[in-house]
Amino acid sequence: MDWFNYYGLAIMAVIMIPNIVYFVKHKNDAANIYPNKIVSVLEQIGRYGCFVLMIFNIPYTYFNFWFDHALTVYLSVNGGLCLLYLIFWAVCRKRNDKLKAVSLSVLPSCIFLFSGIMLASVPLVFFSAVFAVNHILISCKTVSADNRKKKYTKKDKLRDTVLLIFVIVLFAAAVIGTLFGGHNGSVFPL
């Protein structure tokens, strides 16, 4: 793969389409409720860093795919994560709860982190980690502020537990699939 990543551009387009549609329909709701400026700035730095590095490979900062059939794994896993992202957007479009907040913040974080690992792109892994931590925090805190008046029931606890297990399994599958999927025994070929 050269300096321009066509696959990354397609992945970014898939991720951005529902976001653009949402913000066009909800222009007045775009205000961020979470008041921590440092977290907000770090999230934006991570977001735009991921956007740029998903599309442009900066020479000498990435090592390209590091095992046989890595492109197939890259496209399959990212395609599946993008499909899940679109499904969660469709299912949760009228909701304002933790399921929506966590799923729509964890899935793009997994896409960015997985892409960085697959391409062995040091800056993409860095920016995806910065983005993931801050984006998930802001999403969860925003929903908590909106739902603070609601009473936390056993059904809510069960749903949050299932959601947490889902996120852990999704992240573990992405990492395990990346690290142990079909390579020739070495992490970086010599």
Side-chain angles (χ1 to χ4, degrees), residues 147-163:
N147 295 331
R148 198 166 280 149
K149 297 173 185 167
K150 285 177 42 178
K151 186 178 178 186
Y152 200 64
T153 65
K154 286 185 179 182
K155 183 179 176 183
D156 294 330
K157 290 179 185 177
L158 178 64
R159 185 187 65 230
D160 289 349
T161 303
V162 170
L163 181 62

Side-chain angles (χ1 to χ4, degrees), residues 1 7 64-78 114 118-119 177-186 189:
M1 191 175 307
Y7 305 116
N64 215 342
F65 296 117
W66 43 275
F67 61 88
D68 295 336
H69 306 291
L71 178 61
T72 305
V73 173
Y74 174 80
L75 294 175
S76 299
V77 172
N78 277 332
F114 179 77
M118 287 299 295
L119 290 170
T178 301
L179 295 177
F180 300 108
H183 59 83
N184 58 4
S186 66

Side-chain angles (χ1 to χ4, degrees), residues 24-181:
V24 166
K25 289 184 176 183
H26 300 94
K27 290 178 186 175
N28 298 331
D29 296 343
N32 189 2
I33 294 174
Y34 193 59
N36 190 326
K37 295 288 184 195
I38 294 172
V39 172
S40 296
V41 167
L42 286 173
E43 181 207 18
Q44 293 303 321
I45 290 170
R47 176 189 317 269
Y48 292 114
C50 289
F51 286 1
V52 169
L53 294 168
M54 283 289 291
I55 300 169
F56 300 106
N57 297 318
I58 300 170
Y60 307 110
T61 64
Y62 80 103
F63 301 98
N64 215 342
F65 296 117
W66 43 275
F67 61 88
D68 295 336
H69 306 291
L71 178 61
T72 305
V73 173
Y74 174 80
L75 294 175
S76 299
V77 172
N78 277 332
L81 289 171
C82 286
L83 180 64
L84 272 174
Y85 186 72
L86 294 176
I87 289 170
F88 273 104
W89 257 114
V91 169
C92 299
R93 69 182 176 275
K94 294 185 180 183
R95 298 174 67 157
N96 191 23
D97 59 358
K98 283 187 183 178
L99 174 66
K100 180 179 182 179
V102 172
S103 62
L104 296 181
S105 58
V106 167
L107 287 169
S109 300
C110 286
I111 290 169
F112 296 145
L113 186 59
F114 179 77
S115 297
I117 292 169
M118 287 299 295
L119 290 170
S121 172
V122 176
L124 182 54
V125 170
F126 172 77
F127 281 109
S128 64
V130 170
F131 171 73
V133 169
N134 293 293
H135 187 59
I136 293 167
L137 176 66
I138 288 172
S139 297
C140 291
K141 292 291 187 177
T142 300
V143 169
S144 295
D146 287 347
N147 295 331
R148 198 166 280 149
K149 297 173 185 167
K150 285 177 42 178
K151 186 178 178 186
Y152 200 64
T153 65
K154 286 185 179 182
K155 183 179 176 183
D156 294 330
K157 290 179 185 177
L158 178 64
R159 185 187 65 230
D160 289 349
T161 303
V162 170
L163 181 62
L164 180 62
I165 291 169
F166 168 74
V167 168
I168 291 169
V169 168
L170 180 67
F171 187 73
V175 171
I176 289 169
T178 301
L179 295 177
F180 300 108

